[in-house]
Amino acid sequence: MAFAGVLNDADITKALDECKGADTFDYKKFFKTCGLAGKSADEVKKAFYIIDQDKSGFIEEDELKLFLQNFSAGARVLSDGETKTFLKAGDVDGDGKIGADEFSALVKA
């Protein structure tokens, strides 16, 4: 699992179970339930670099769509609406992507 040593497997499973249904993803609830909201700045940054699949230094919309699959390969993809809501919440500077600092602020929100 990509988050071994950062997050607890049982917490990840619980967080994924809470948003199994279409259009049920709530990033604030997810970050809290999986335990990421309570992690240090360095641990949140590690999570960012796991989610930044193309290593561009940003999480783009296509990476957000697959966000849950970073936590479990069998997880669902986010709907277009969920993805856009998630991006809008995290993209503070309006460049259409989420940088490391924006991600940290989103997790801690």
Side-chain angles (χ1 to χ4, degrees):
M1 184 167 285
F3 289 94
V6 178
L7 299 174
N8 176 298
D9 288 351
D11 291 340
I12 290 172
T13 299
K14 183 176 181 202
L16 289 170
D17 284 346
E18 288 179 353
C19 60
K20 270 187 178 172
D23 294 315
T24 60
F25 178 74
D26 175 332
Y27 67 90
K28 288 181 182 180
K29 187 175 182 183
F30 185 86
F31 289 142
K32 185 175 181 189
T33 302
C34 78
L36 195 57
K39 296 296 179 181
S40 71
D42 284 345
E43 290 169 314
V44 171
K45 211 161 256 203
K46 279 183 196 172
F48 171 84
Y49 289 113
I50 291 168
I51 297 162
D52 176 21
Q53 293 286 314
D54 65 3
K55 307 301 176 212
S56 66
F58 296 94
I59 301 171
E60 292 90 7
E61 190 168 346
D62 58 332
E63 291 168 322
L64 276 183
K65 193 170 228 1
L66 305 175
F67 175 79
L68 296 176
Q69 293 178 356
N70 289 289
F71 295 86
S72 174
R76 70 178 181 89
V77 298
L78 296 180
S79 70
D80 288 344
E82 289 170 319
T83 302
K84 290 189 185 318
T85 299
F86 197 7
L87 180 61
K88 186 177 178 185
D91 180 21
V92 176
D93 62 10
D95 63 358
K97 51 195 174 188
I98 299 173
D101 291 340
E102 290 171 317
F103 183 74
S104 293
L106 189 63
V107 169
K108 299 294 186 177

